[in-house]
Amino acid sequence: MITSDMKRPDGAAEDWIIPQNWSAYTSQEHAMWDRLFDRQAKMLPNRVVKEFMDGLDVLRMTKPGIPDFDELSERLMKLTGWQVVAVPGLVPDRLFFEHLANRRFVAGRFIRTPEQLDYLQEPDIFHDVFGHVPLLANPVFADYMQAYGEGGLRADGFGSIDNLARLYWYTVEFGLIRQDDALKLYGAGIVSSYGESIFALDDPSPNRLGFDLKRLMRTQYRIDDYQQTYFVIDSFEDLLRQTIETDFAPLYRELQHETDLEVATVLPEDRVHAMGTQAYARAREIA
Ligand code: PHE
Ligand code: CO
């Protein structure tokens, strides 16, 4: 996430926000949303955390067509004080953090083409809105996202954005949660992907490790394929409490002297979830 030298695109305001221009979406674009939505909505109910389905419902995201950000923001504002705003693409780190710290979630407004149904490099509106927005209706997760933004501004002061970015990656984007003694999905990068929604829970190959803040911030991640390691939280309350109650400054200092862990590493002290049998076997070998 080295985005400090990015140039502001023409037409974007100082905060990089642009109008969503909802009325300009074509019927093909709305149909693309519906196709992606229906596929996920059929598959997710037993896989995704309960709060995600509740979010789709209370935000009325179950109605057909690409959501209108003004309408979403109005509902979100009443529930948790969040807004959804459109940006042209990735925004510089500090600006991204500032928006989060002020309860503004920045989202892309374009939607993938049929050729990109299962894979695209840049996050589109389906990833950003279907993946991220439902949990912003949950008060605890909403607080976590704001705290993360504030933490980002602080991390920048320590030159530690890369470490903190891993926390976003392994929670907001690719997090798993234990709920009713089963693993469930909550990360937006997973729930907006048909393939990874299955892989993350059912495939035996990835490691599913108990959440450990410092260990997680030492761990690299991959952007070119499904994750090889997921971190499992016990609850959103626990995630929020641990991250706001911990002063990250000493962790950042320690991390500067420690080598990164590669994506597939399993340490003897890791709490390995016994689902994903290969990871389990590997951890036992090491132990
Ligand atoms: N407590 C963190 C710090 O001291 C801030 C933070 C909160 C970071 C929540 C991430 C998520 O920097
Ligand atoms: Co995302």
Side-chain angles (χ1 to χ4, degrees):
M1 250 224 279
I2 300 164
T3 54
S4 43
D5 54 355
M6 287 169 67
K7 221 181 128 275
R8 175 152 55 100
D10 295 337
E14 200 140 344
D15 54 11
W16 289 51
I17 293 175
I18 55 175
Q20 183 192 11
N21 208 2
W22 187 83
S23 52
Y25 290 116
T26 64
S27 55
Q28 286 91 328
E29 288 173 323
H30 285 297
M32 186 69 214
W33 172 280
D34 292 342
R35 183 173 169 192
L36 290 161
F37 186 98
D38 291 344
R39 187 167 68 155
Q40 290 312 88
K42 272 200 198 77
M43 183 252 292
L44 284 176
N46 287 315
R47 297 179 171 268
V48 77
V49 74
K50 182 185 166 303
E51 289 81 349
F52 181 91
M53 297 305 290
D54 292 345
L56 286 181
D57 191 42
V58 292
L59 296 171
R60 303 280 183 273
M61 288 177 68
T62 45
K63 71 178 187 196
I66 295 175
D68 181 339
F69 289 0
D70 291 338
E71 215 177 294
L72 274 183
S73 295
E74 208 182 298
R75 292 185 196 280
L76 267 179
M77 181 57 79
K78 282 188 197 132
L79 292 161
T80 57
W82 275 78
Q83 284 172 273
V84 183
V85 294
V87 287
L90 288 179
V91 306
D93 290 332
R94 281 198 71 88
L95 198 58
F96 177 70
F97 296 138
E98 268 167 28
H99 282 307
L100 291 180
N102 289 287
R103 296 198 173 231
R104 286 187 298 269
F105 188 75
V106 295
R109 63 178 180 184
F110 76 97
I111 191 154
R112 68 194 72 180
T113 64
E115 296 73 48
Q116 299 169 310
L117 190 66
D118 288 307
Y119 184 76
L120 77 171
Q121 211 142 17
E122 242 200 307
D124 72 340
I125 192 171
F126 187 73
H127 166 79
D128 281 340
V129 174
F130 180 85
H132 286 282
V133 172
L135 284 182
L136 293 175
N138 176 264
V140 179
F141 199 81
D143 284 355
Y144 174 66
M145 291 291 279
Q146 176 185 353
Y148 183 88
E150 290 163 356
L153 295 169
R154 184 159 186 252
D156 190 27
F158 296 117
S160 297
I161 285 184
D162 288 351
N163 288 310
L164 186 70
R166 293 169 178 171
L167 179 62
Y168 193 88
W169 188 266
Y170 282 120
T171 60
V172 178
E173 294 291 355
F174 292 98
L176 297 181
I177 188 166
R178 217 173 42 142
Q179 200 164 52
D180 308 324
D181 270 319
L183 295 190
K184 300 277 156 127
L185 313 171
Y186 75 90
I190 307 178
V191 303
S192 62
S193 157
Y194 183 78
E196 195 149 1
S197 292
I198 295 169
F199 176 87
L201 292 181
D202 296 359
D203 198 275
S205 65
N207 308 313
R208 299 168 181 92
L209 308 179
F211 180 84
D212 179 287
L213 193 52
K214 186 180 162 200
R215 198 275 188 217
L216 182 159
M217 291 201 291
R218 258 186 93 188
T219 311
Q220 298 171 342
Y221 57 81
R222 49 187 315 175
I223 56 168
D224 58 334
D225 201 352
Y226 297 156
Q227 300 304 303
Q228 234 165 309
T229 293
Y230 300 97
F231 287 93
V232 182
I233 60 169
D234 286 330
S235 65
F236 292 138
E237 285 81 4
D238 185 57
L239 175 65
L240 177 64
R241 196 180 39 77
Q242 280 201 52
T243 49
I244 61 177
E245 285 179 2
T246 305
D247 178 2
F248 284 28
L251 297 183
Y252 295 146
R253 223 174 303 121
E254 288 168 27
L255 287 165
Q256 276 170 5
H257 303 288
E258 293 175 29
T259 51
D260 284 348
L261 297 173
E262 296 191 10
V263 285
T265 307
V266 179
L267 302 171
E269 61 269 29
D270 285 330
R271 290 172 294 130
V272 181
H273 283 258
M275 180 178 238
T277 49
Q278 287 179 31
Y280 190 56
R282 254 199 318 276
R284 294 193 60 93
E285 254 169 52
I286 291 168

